[in-house]
């Protein structure tokens, strides 16, 4: 998850509220946003006004006739095309927030992610014995910091490039696909905050001075891991996108495998960095798969997803989170069916992204 | 006062004394480690060795000697062995006194020289060893009409599941893997060609294989080289293995913890046991393909700066003995790196002309030795008298930066080095293997992580090493400082000490690191050859810059009697250091700089020559150097004195690097 003050954090230079972020000085909604108003130097904005004042006299003073006005179709999903990407992101988030919820009890002996009130994934809190054994793993993984530092630092913000790497995406051809991946990142990240708050799990650096993390410990709970949730959700959505375009990739199975391995690696990078326990990633992977499954259903006309078996880290306190574990989660049969209604707003973005993979699109 | 034939050598006295606090904790030994030992007997002993097959008792600690795989090609004087505790014994319980008495028993059994090396974690010992292993059949892809040759690599961080090996790695002994109870090897674990294929079928990918076999380490365990993206052994093996199905590969993966101490103290037993294993497995490969004795090229990209530098160190003598034995059956080559210490100021020769007359009429010569601050590991240096010379009439002294002097000689023995009331080192005089007289200096870390009672940090700064002798005595005294490189993965915190000689100018007139020696100074660039590479049976390989064809500035050289035989690129250009070879995972690459990466290139070229025209068995005066003549991509080197383009640095034959084949 984002870190205050760094390049890509929420309030960092490129973050949502940062200087170049969506609401920042140079962002779309900022004073000097992109596009027409963003490309001009400060003095030139005033120039637009003075030029208008100088020449609008030629357009007259008559009241505007309604006859020439062509209205949009209210509520049409196609209108999504007209909004800016960050507004679309807010709309997508809103559509998810209408259904997503959390369930717990007073003692927080469990936290469930729910969809329309029905549990889809459940986490149980760790004991201090489990925390201690998991902390040993964090120290062990520190040996790989030199190898993985570049990945760790660049994964502080959007890590879509790490999946785009295996999909051959380009900015020019796949703008909506990139937008979709980042939307999944944002949606999944937000959903983890309440479980993190309820489970209130302390971070490795607080428990063991020898962890000495590679970067600043984020300001939210350790269990579940936001990165693991986001990465697995993206991997699941990417898998669906690949499978929806069978003629596009001749080696679809390998690509899907690479994307899940990458998601697992992104999760483990947080343990290498010293800010997460392996069990945080095990928990986040389950949430991420659940969220990914739900988003895919929403985007493709609705259906059901399977409830994911509850995760209790105390059953195996000394266990690492390996790719074999992640793969087993992917392939697990799953439990009860949970209904997910299709959503035309999310469906619009999915259709746009999917269309970018068409090889023989009409001119 | 110890006798000159004290069974416990000065290194062991230090390492198992204060070194238990300074240096051994980094090994992360478990509750009851075994000791490793290289034993030398007065005459070749048959196998199994009755003399050591007895339970040794010493003050209630029972250590059982156990032998690893020994090649059955003949009796040898040198034997590698482990001393395994019968009941749990922590490392803390072993001290020099107890160890000396254990080794006394071995001496009673006929051992005349013993060398203890680094301890081994109990979890790596296989109590079921030895058990007969099912024979492995012939490998697919081998051309029965062509010669078959074995390429053997002894290194650390061997990525045995690397897919570029293509099923040509027939045997790999991972000496630091947890034992698997199969009885194939005494310690560690063996991975065969078929075993690796089975692991791949079960676990799917290399990461999972290494994880399942304990080679990635884990919480509270020593860090392992294969956990990282690049390792020394993966790079060397990637270069040496080539791609010919008739070149079968055997690998020995040394415990990397044994290599954290760059003085080379830790490795002797592991190297010799590795060579026995290689020869044994080469015989099995031969049998599997209906052949008798195969030509073998062994590459060991390892070295150190200390030692007598005349082939008489125990490990050199042990390797030479075994290699000569095997040469009676089949061509057996040993390829070693010349070393990277050319500029490091680790070696000096005090000649007669360097001695001045002191007021009392004695002759005295001295040299300053800089011990850096923040050095967290012990520091070692040696002085060697010439063959045939003894220390009568001679006193050796070591003076701290504060002026406190400790002297030893002419009698053999050990003395504590004291500074400000604390013991900070040890100086010893002994007759190494009953042959050459040696002074060994051990210094405590200048910034120790922990201190044993009575010990202090060795003061950082300029120490003085001096020799005082009667004026009528003559003969050079060689001074060798041991390498003390930090091991990053092990977080040892070592820093290199070096010699200071006002007459030695590190730079040439252009301001670059000079590559020739002036005749006057004691400190030398030349004569600093890898201390493992002065035996008579090796091919020593130096490194050059591929784009220039001249020696890499660090590439060590020897003397006229024992020096560099061949060379290969170790840097691509002055701006692009290192040469590229495999990382630990298939598809990853890394550049590694140093003569360690030159040796396997020569080893491969030699193996390819053997595959074309296999040399017959029998002794070879040139150690197969002539086999490189006329091979593609190999050019002769002019003699040229100390010139960096000449034979003294590059040997007689140079792999140019132009021919990728």
């Amino acid at each position: 998850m984002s870190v205050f003050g760094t390049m890509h954090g929420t309030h960092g230079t490129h973050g949502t509220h940062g200087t170049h972020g969506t609401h920042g000085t140079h962002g779309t909604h900022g004073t000097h946003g992109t596009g027409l108003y963003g490309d001009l130097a400060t003095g030139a904005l005033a120039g637009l006004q003075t030029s208008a004042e100088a020449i609008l006299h030629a357009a007259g003073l008559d009241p505007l006739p309604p006859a020439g006005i062509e209205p949009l179709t209210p509520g049409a999903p196609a209108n999504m095309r007209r909004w800016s990407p960050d507004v679309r992101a807010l709309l997508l988030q809103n559509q998810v927030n209408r259904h997503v919820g959390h369930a717990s009890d007073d003692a927080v002996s469990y936290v469930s992610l729910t969809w329309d009130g029905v549990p889809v994934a459940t986490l149980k809190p760790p004991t201090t014995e489990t925390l201690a054994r998991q902390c040993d793993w964090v120290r062990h993984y520190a040996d790989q910091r030199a190898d993985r530092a570049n990945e760790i630092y660049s994964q502080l913000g959007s890590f879509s490039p790490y999946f785009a790497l295996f999909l051959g995406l380009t900015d020019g051809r796949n703008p909506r696909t990139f937008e979709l991946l980042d939307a999944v990142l944002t949606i999944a990240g937000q959903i983890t905050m309440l479980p993190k708050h309820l489970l209130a799990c302390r971070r490795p650096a607080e428990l063991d001075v020898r962890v000495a993390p590679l970067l600043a410990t984020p300001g939210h709970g350790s269990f579940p891991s936001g990165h693991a949730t986001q990465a697995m959700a993206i991997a699941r959505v990417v898998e669906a996108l690949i499978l929806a375009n069978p003629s596009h990739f001749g080696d679809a199975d390998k690509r899907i495998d690479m994307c899940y391995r990458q998601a697992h690696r992104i999760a483990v990078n947080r343990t290498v960095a010293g800010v997460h326990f392996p069990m945080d990633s095990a928990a986040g992977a389950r949430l991420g798969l659940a969220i990914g499954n739900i988003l895919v259903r929403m985007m493709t006309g609705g259906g059901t997803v399977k409830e994911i078996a509850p995760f209790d880290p105390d059953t195996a306190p000394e266990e690492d989170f390996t790719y074999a574990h992640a793969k087993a989660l992917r392939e697990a049969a799953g439990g009860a069916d949970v209904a997910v209604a299709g959503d035309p707003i999310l469906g619009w973005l999915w259709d746009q992204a999917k269309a970018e993979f068409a090889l023989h699109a009409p001119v | 006062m110890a006798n000159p034939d004290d069974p416990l050598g000065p290194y062991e006295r230090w390492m198992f004394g204060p070194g238990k606090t300074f240096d051994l904790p980094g090994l992360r030994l478990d509750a009851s480690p075994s000791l490793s030992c290289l034993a030398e007997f007065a005459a070749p002993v048959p196998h199994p060795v009755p003399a050591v097959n007895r339970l040794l008792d010493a003050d209630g600690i029972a250590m059982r000697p156990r032998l690893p795989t020994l090649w059955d090609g003949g009796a040898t004087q040198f034997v590698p062995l482990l001393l395994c505790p019968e009941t749990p014994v922590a490392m803390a319980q072993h001290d020099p006194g107890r160890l000396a008495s254990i080794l006394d028993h071995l001496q009673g059994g006929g051992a005349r020289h013993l060398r203890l090396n680094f301890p081994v974690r109990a979890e790596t010992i296989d109590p079921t060893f030895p058990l007969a292993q099912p024979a492995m059949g012939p490998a697919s892809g081998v051309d029965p009409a062509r010669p078959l040759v074995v390429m053997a690599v002894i290194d650390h961080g061997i990525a045995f599941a690397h897919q570029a090996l293509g099923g040509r790695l027939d045997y790999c002994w991972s000496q630091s893997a947890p034992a698997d109870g199969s009885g194939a090897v005494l310690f560690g674990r063996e991975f065969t060609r078929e075993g690796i294929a089975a692991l791949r079928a079960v676990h799917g990918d290399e990461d999972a294989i290494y994880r399942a076999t304990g080679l990635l380490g884990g919480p509270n365990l020593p860090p392992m080289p294969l956990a990282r993206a690049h390792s020394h052994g993966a790079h060397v093996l990637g270069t040496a293995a080539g791609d010919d199905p008739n070149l079968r590969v055997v690998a020995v993966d040394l415990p990397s913890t044994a290599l954290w101490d760059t003085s080379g103290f830790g490795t002797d037993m592991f190297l010799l046991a590795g060579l026995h294993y290689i020869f044994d497995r080469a015989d099995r490969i031969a049998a599997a393909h209906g052949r008798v004795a195969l030509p073998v090229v062994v590459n060991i990209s390892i070295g150190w700066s200390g030692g007598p530098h005349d082939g008489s160190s125990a490990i050199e003598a042990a390797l030479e003995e075994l290699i000569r034995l095997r040469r009676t059956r089949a061509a057996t080559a040993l390829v070693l790196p010349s070393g990277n210490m050319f500029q490091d100021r680790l070696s000096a020769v005090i000649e007669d002309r360097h001695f001045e007359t002191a007021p009392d009429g004695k002759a005295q010569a001295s040299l300053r030795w800089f011990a850096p601050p923040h050095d967290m590991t012990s520091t070692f240096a040696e002085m060697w008298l010439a063959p045939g010379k003894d220390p009568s009439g001679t006193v050796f002294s070591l003076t701290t930066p504060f002026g406190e002097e400790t002297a030893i000689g002419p009698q053999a023995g050990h003395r504590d080095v004291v500074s400000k009331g604390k013991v900070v080192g040890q100086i010893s005089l002994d007759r190494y293997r009953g042959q050459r007289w040696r002074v060994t200096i051990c210094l405590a870390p200048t910034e120790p992580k922990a201190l044993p009672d009575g010990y202090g940090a060795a003061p950082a700064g300029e120490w003085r090493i001096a020799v005082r002798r009667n004026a009528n005595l003559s003969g050079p005294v060689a001074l060798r400082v041991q390498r003390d490189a930090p091991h990053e993965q092990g977080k040892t915190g070592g820093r290199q000490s070096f010699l200071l000689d006002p007459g030695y100018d590190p730079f040439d007139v252009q301001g670059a690191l000079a590559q020739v020696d002036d005749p006057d100074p004691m400190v030398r660039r030349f004569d600093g050859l890898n201390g493992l590479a002065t035996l008579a049976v090796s091919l020593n390989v130096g490194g050059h810059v591929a784009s220039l064809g001249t020696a890499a500035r660090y590439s060590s050289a020897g003397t006229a009697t024992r020096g560099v035989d061949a060379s290969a690129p170790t840097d691509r250009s002055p701006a692009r250091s290192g040469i590229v070879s495999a990382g630990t995972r298939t598809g990853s690459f890394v550049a590694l700089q140093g003569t360690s990466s030159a040796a396997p290139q020569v080893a491969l070229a030699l193996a390819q020559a053997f595959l074309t025209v296999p040399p017959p068995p029998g002794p070879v005066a040139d150690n197969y150097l002539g086999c490189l003549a006329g091979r593609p991509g190999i050019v002769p080197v002019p003699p040229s004195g100390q010139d960096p383009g000449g034979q003294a640095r590059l040997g007689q034959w140079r792999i140019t690097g132009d021919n990728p084949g």
Side-chain angles (χ1 to χ4, degrees), chain B residues 23-30 118-119 121 222 256-261:
Chain B
D23 302 291
L24 293 188
L27 301 186
R28 308 247 204 135
L29 298 171
D30 49 17
F118 272 146
R121 287 174 60 92
S256 79
T257 49
L259 293 159
W260 288 355
D261 170 62

Side-chain angles (χ1 to χ4, degrees), chain B residues 293-383:
Chain B
L294 299 177
V296 170
V297 179
V298 182
N299 184 93
I300 309 179
S301 281
I302 282 162
W304 43 80
S305 51
H309 280 69
D310 62 4
S312 71
S313 71
I315 183 58
E316 289 178 285
L319 295 176
E320 180 164 340
E321 177 186 43
L322 202 61
I323 286 168
R324 287 197 189 281
L325 198 53
R326 192 172 189 280
R327 281 183 180 173
T328 63
R329 300 177 176 217
T332 308
L334 175 65
V335 182
L336 298 174
S338 70
N340 305 322
M341 304 169 285
F342 195 64
Q343 305 287 355
D344 290 355
R345 291 179 269 173
L346 302 181
S347 68
V349 181
I350 306 175
E351 305 273 15
D352 291 344
R353 66 171 185 277
H354 294 122
F355 282 83
E356 294 170 339
T357 308
D360 62 0
K362 302 270 189 187
Q364 174 161 298
S366 69
L367 199 51
R368 283 173 301 141
W369 180 27
F370 179 73
H374 197 54
D375 178 11
M376 297 181 158
T377 60
S378 294
T379 295
F380 304 96
E382 301 167 344
M383 283 191 275

Side-chain angles (χ1 to χ4, degrees), chain A residues 110-113 119-124 286-287 307-311:
Chain A
Y110 73 95
V111 173
S112 293
L113 179 70
V120 289
T122 301
L123 305 177
K124 301 200 177 170
R286 287 161 165 84
L287 291 186
E307 183 187 3
I308 295 179
F311 176 57

Side-chain angles (χ1 to χ4, degrees), chain A residues 136 139-140 143 147 261 320, chain B residues 205 211 218 220 228-229 489:
Chain A
D136 292 344
R139 293 201 325 274
H140 162 69
D143 180 61
D147 281 351
R261 285 179 184 270
D320 191 9
Chain B
D205 65 63
R211 178 183 297 271
N220 309 310
R228 293 201 168 184
Q489 190 174 30

Side-chain angles (χ1 to χ4, degrees), chain A residues 101-328:
Chain A
H102 301 85
S104 186
D105 58 10
D106 288 342
V108 194
S109 66
Y110 73 95
V111 173
S112 293
L113 179 70
T114 63
W115 193 256
D116 295 328
V118 181
V120 289
T122 301
L123 305 177
K124 301 200 177 170
T127 61
T128 53
E129 168 65 20
T130 300
L131 282 173
R133 299 288 63 77
Q134 288 285 306
C135 214
D136 292 344
W137 277 107
V138 179
R139 293 201 325 274
H140 162 69
Y141 268 105
D143 180 61
Q144 296 179 41
R145 286 179 184 175
D147 281 351
R148 296 163 84 146
N150 286 333
E151 296 166 55
I152 290 168
Y153 286 121
S154 68
Q155 287 163 8
L156 286 172
S158 164
F159 37 79
S160 306
Y162 283 85
F163 295 92
L165 175 71
F166 292 127
L167 295 172
L169 302 186
T170 71
D171 283 338
R173 198 172 66 231
N174 304 106
R176 299 286 86 78
T177 304
F178 276 111
E179 190 179 327
L180 171 62
L181 299 186
D182 281 342
V184 174
L185 185 92
T186 308
I187 290 167
Q190 201 211 40
I191 291 175
T192 63
M193 285 306 176
L194 195 62
K196 281 173 179 275
H197 164 72
L198 291 172
L199 292 160
C201 185
R202 298 176 72 192
R203 293 271 185 170
E206 294 181 60
L207 306 185
D208 193 334
V209 68
R210 299 167 294 177
V211 168
L214 193 59
L215 33 83
T217 301
H220 35 80
S222 196
F223 177 85
S225 158
H227 269 64
T229 309
Q230 295 166 309
M232 281 300 265
I234 291 175
R236 180 67 191 93
V237 169
V238 163
E239 177 183 19
L241 204 52
I242 291 173
L243 292 173
N245 295 282
S247 65
H248 195 92
F249 297 109
D251 54 358
D253 285 348
K254 282 197 184 141
R255 286 189 197 254
I256 292 169
D257 186 50
M258 283 302 121
C259 286
Y260 276 106
R261 285 179 184 270
Q262 185 72 285
H264 171 260
R265 188 174 173 87
I266 290 170
V268 175
N269 278 345
R270 302 294 283 172
T271 303
V272 174
V275 298
H276 271 296
F277 307 101
M279 66 178 183
D280 302 345
S281 297
R286 287 161 165 84
L287 291 186
L289 270 177
I291 293 165
N293 287 335
I294 288 167
L295 291 174
V296 170
R297 287 287 163 267
M298 290 179 84
M299 294 188 291
T300 57
T304 59
V305 300
K306 298 277 187 198
E307 183 187 3
I308 295 179
F311 176 57
D312 181 358
D314 294 339
T315 56
E318 294 183 353
E319 197 146 81
D320 191 9
F321 179 62
T322 65
Y323 178 64
H325 290 111
K327 190 157 181 283

